[in-house]
């Protein structure tokens, strides 16, 4: 069957494809089966991670009360309260890092399993029949399969694992600590913190789309530069004899394209970094500001003024709740860069997967358009 009988989608057509359709398809390759304790069945890992995060939220809450317990013991000069604070602090200071380390381990498993399944599937399609020859020798659209099979699958799996962990962890903590905060200190403080970070997130999200496009372009330009250098190495004798200066100009032009685009990426990252820093540093200002508002304009601390220890404990516990809420909203800003990278690597990896998908069915004599439907 003729190689070009079925039309391969152009880059513009690919851009118009729905992102989520491609993303879900890629995740389906990364986690192809729900079988338990299987490399190909690593779909169970995010669910196990979600359960662990749910338990860790309770541990984080108890860990946040440690400072308040010590403040009460020191403020009241109570030995019994000090013993309780020491035991409470020791237990939860051990449980919290242990569960955090376990979460990180599960994140690394998701990363490694996803990359294994992606490379395994794409490599089999790449080496199927004459596909690799057609992509490298006949196809003129510069797929750069070597980079997409190695670097891009690794970058996608790494970003995907971190996004899975943070996307599960942050919303659970936001919902849980909002409920606890409303019960303990009322609705006004959590609402003000939500409104402040909603404004920051609203303006920061406008930077995501241009950043995705520039990261995608940067990877493409880097691949072209590397391929040009590989050609230079393989044709070193001819270049030395006839057109070394011409080849040098071509390489220099490719490098300049990489350099100029990297400057644009750096500027976009600068703006995103500013949003992240504002969100991180302002979490302290917003938390202490709301704590002062409760102290001056409400009766929240009236029942705790009986002893210095009770007042210090109440202040510490309220500050912990407000600070945790602000930090989790700030984590959303911190993850915007990761979301941008994940989107870019999704586009690059699915371009290769789409190319291999069509060629696989052309090789087997089937109509890839019918399979796509």
């Amino acid at each position: 069957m003729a190689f070009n009988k079925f039309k391969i989608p152009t880059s513009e057509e690919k851009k118009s494809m729905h992102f989520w359709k491609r993303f879900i398809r890629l995740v389906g390759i990364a986690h192809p089966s729900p079988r338990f304790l299987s490399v190909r069945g690593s779909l169970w890992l995010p669910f196990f991670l979600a359960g662990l995060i749910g338990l860790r939220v309770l541990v984080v809450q108890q860990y946040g009360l440690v400072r308040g317990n010590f403040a009460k013991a020191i403020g009241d000069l109570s030995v019994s309260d000090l013993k309780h604070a020491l035991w409470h602090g020791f237990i939860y200071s051990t449980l919290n890092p242990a569960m955090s380390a376990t979460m990180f381990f599960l994140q690394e498993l998701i990363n490694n399993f996803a990359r294994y399944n992606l490379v395994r599937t794409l490599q089999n399609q790449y080496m199927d029949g004459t596909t690799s020859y057609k992509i490298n020798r006949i196809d003129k659209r510069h797929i750069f399969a070597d980079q997409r099979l190695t670097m891009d699958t690794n970058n996608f799996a790494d970003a995907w694992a971190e996004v899975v962990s943070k996307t599960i962890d942050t919303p659970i903590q936001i919902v849980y600590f909002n409920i606890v905060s409303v019960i303990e200190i009322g609705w006004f403080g959590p609402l003000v913190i939500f409104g402040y970070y909603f404004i920051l997130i609203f303006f920061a999200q406008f930077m995501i789309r241009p950043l995705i496009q520039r990261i995608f372009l940067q990877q493409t330009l880097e691949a072209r530069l590397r391929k040009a250098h590989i050609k230079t190495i393989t044709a070193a004798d001819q270049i030395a004899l006839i057109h070394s200066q011409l080849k040098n100009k071509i390489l220099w032009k490719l490098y300049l394209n990489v350099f100029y685009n990297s400057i644009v990426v750096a500027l976009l990252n600068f703006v995103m970094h500013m949003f992240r820093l504002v969100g991180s540093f302002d979490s302290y200002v917003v938390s202490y500001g709301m704590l002062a508002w409760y102290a001056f304009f409400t009766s929240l601390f009236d029942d705790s003024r009986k002893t210095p220890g009770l007042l210090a404990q109440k202040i510490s516990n309220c500050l912990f709740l407000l600070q945790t809420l602000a930090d989790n909203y700030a984590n959303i800003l911190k993850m915007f860069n990761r979301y941008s990278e994940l989107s870019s690597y999704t586009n690059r990896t699915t371009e290769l997967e789409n190319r291999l998908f069509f060629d696989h069915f052309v090789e087997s004599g089937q109509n890839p358009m019918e399979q796509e439907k």
Side-chain angles (χ1 to χ4, degrees):
M1 184 172 290
F3 171 66
N4 58 353
K5 181 175 181 179
F6 303 111
K7 180 178 178 292
I8 304 297
T10 64
S11 59
E12 290 300 320
E13 289 171 339
K14 288 175 184 175
K15 289 178 182 178
S16 65
M17 291 173 63
H18 200 280
F19 167 77
W20 289 108
K21 181 180 177 181
R22 289 177 287 164
F23 177 71
I24 292 172
R25 181 170 172 173
L26 203 59
V27 171
I29 297 175
H31 305 286
S33 169
R35 286 177 297 171
F36 189 66
L37 295 180
S38 166
V39 173
R40 290 184 58 78
S42 56
L43 188 62
W44 61 271
L45 282 170
F47 295 98
F48 189 78
L49 180 63
L52 181 64
I53 288 172
L55 292 175
R56 180 176 171 270
V57 169
L58 302 176
V59 174
V60 168
Q61 182 187 10
Q62 293 299 317
Y63 179 74
L65 300 179
V66 170
R67 287 181 297 178
N69 292 337
F70 275 105
K72 182 178 183 298
I74 295 171
D76 291 341
L77 296 178
S78 172
V79 176
S80 60
D81 287 343
L82 181 60
K83 290 180 180 178
H84 173 265
L86 286 171
W87 278 109
H88 187 271
F90 174 76
I91 291 171
Y92 288 101
S93 295
T94 304
L95 281 176
N96 190 37
M99 297 185 79
S100 298
T102 306
M103 284 172 53
F104 180 76
F105 174 70
L106 290 175
Q107 179 181 318
E108 289 297 301
L109 287 181
I110 293 173
N111 178 0
N112 287 297
F113 287 177
R115 189 185 182 194
Y116 170 85
N117 289 322
L118 281 171
V119 173
R120 182 176 183 273
T121 301
L122 297 179
Q123 184 74 28
N124 287 341
Q125 293 180 358
Y126 181 66
M127 300 304 296
D128 183 29
T130 58
T131 300
S132 60
Y133 172 78
K134 291 173 181 177
I135 288 177
N136 293 307
R137 298 298 184 185
I138 299 177
D139 194 348
K140 302 300 181 182
R141 293 183 299 116
H142 304 294
I143 290 293
F144 304 114
D146 61 325
Q147 178 176 344
R148 303 197 187 200
L149 280 169
T150 53
M151 291 178 59
D152 289 345
T153 53
N154 179 50
N155 291 332
F156 171 84
D158 186 46
W160 160 245
E162 185 175 350
V163 165
V164 167
S165 178
K166 296 297 183 182
T167 304
I168 296 173
D169 186 26
T170 302
I172 289 177
Q173 290 209 44
I174 287 175
V175 171
Y176 180 80
F177 284 106
N178 263 303
I179 294 173
V180 174
S181 298
V182 170
I183 295 173
E184 294 291 331
I185 62 179
W187 58 268
F188 186 74
L191 183 62
V192 170
I193 292 175
F194 169 78
Y196 177 77
Y197 281 97
F198 177 82
I199 294 172
L200 280 181
I201 293 169
F202 175 77
F203 285 104
Q205 58 94 19
F206 288 109
M207 303 300 301
I208 292 182
R209 185 175 182 83
L211 188 59
I212 291 172
Q213 295 171 343
R214 285 293 171 173
I215 293 174
F216 182 88
L217 178 60
Q218 182 73 12
Q219 296 298 322
T220 302
L221 294 174
E222 293 279 3
R224 289 177 181 174
L225 179 62
R226 189 175 69 254
K227 189 167 185 177
H229 275 289
I230 293 174
K231 288 183 177 180
T232 302
I233 294 172
T234 56
D237 295 338
Q238 296 90 327
I239 291 172
L241 292 174
I242 51 176
H243 57 282
S244 59
Q245 292 301 316
L246 176 61
K247 192 65 178 179
N248 182 58
K249 289 180 180 179
I250 295 173
L251 290 173
W252 180 245
K253 184 177 179 180
L254 289 171
Y255 175 76
L256 286 178
N257 289 336
V258 172
F259 173 76
Y260 292 141
N261 190 71
S262 65
I263 295 296
V264 177
V265 172
L267 290 173
L268 292 172
N269 278 322
F270 167 77
V271 177
M272 291 296 296
H273 193 56
M274 285 297 296
F275 278 108
R276 291 200 303 272
L277 289 178
V278 168
S280 298
F281 291 129
D282 283 5
S283 66
Y284 295 97
V285 178
V286 173
S287 301
Y288 277 99
M290 290 311 305
L291 189 67
W293 183 86
Y294 277 112
F296 282 101
F297 301 108
T298 71
S299 59
L300 179 65
F301 298 110
D302 288 352
D303 294 337
S304 304
R305 298 183 189 276
K306 298 175 182 178
T307 67
L310 281 175
L311 181 60
Q313 184 184 36
K314 185 70 172 180
I315 291 174
S316 176
N317 292 344
C318 292
L319 181 61
F320 162 72
L321 291 175
L322 294 169
Q323 183 75 59
T324 303
L325 274 179
D327 286 342
N328 277 285
Y329 286 124
N331 283 338
I332 298 176
L333 288 170
K334 293 177 183 178
M335 285 303 297
F336 271 19
N337 265 44
R338 249 346 198 174
Y339 294 142
S340 302
E341 291 173 3
L342 179 64
S343 300
S344 175
Y345 295 129
T346 297
N347 290 331
R348 288 184 56 78
T349 308
T350 49
E351 271 196 355
L352 174 62
E353 194 275 334
N354 189 59
R355 174 68 178 82
L356 295 174
F357 172 82
F358 274 76
D359 198 62
H360 169 75
F361 284 103
V362 170
E363 285 280 339
S364 59
Q366 302 178 50
N367 189 336
M369 297 300 183
E370 293 177 357
Q371 294 292 332
E372 184 70 15
K373 293 177 183 178

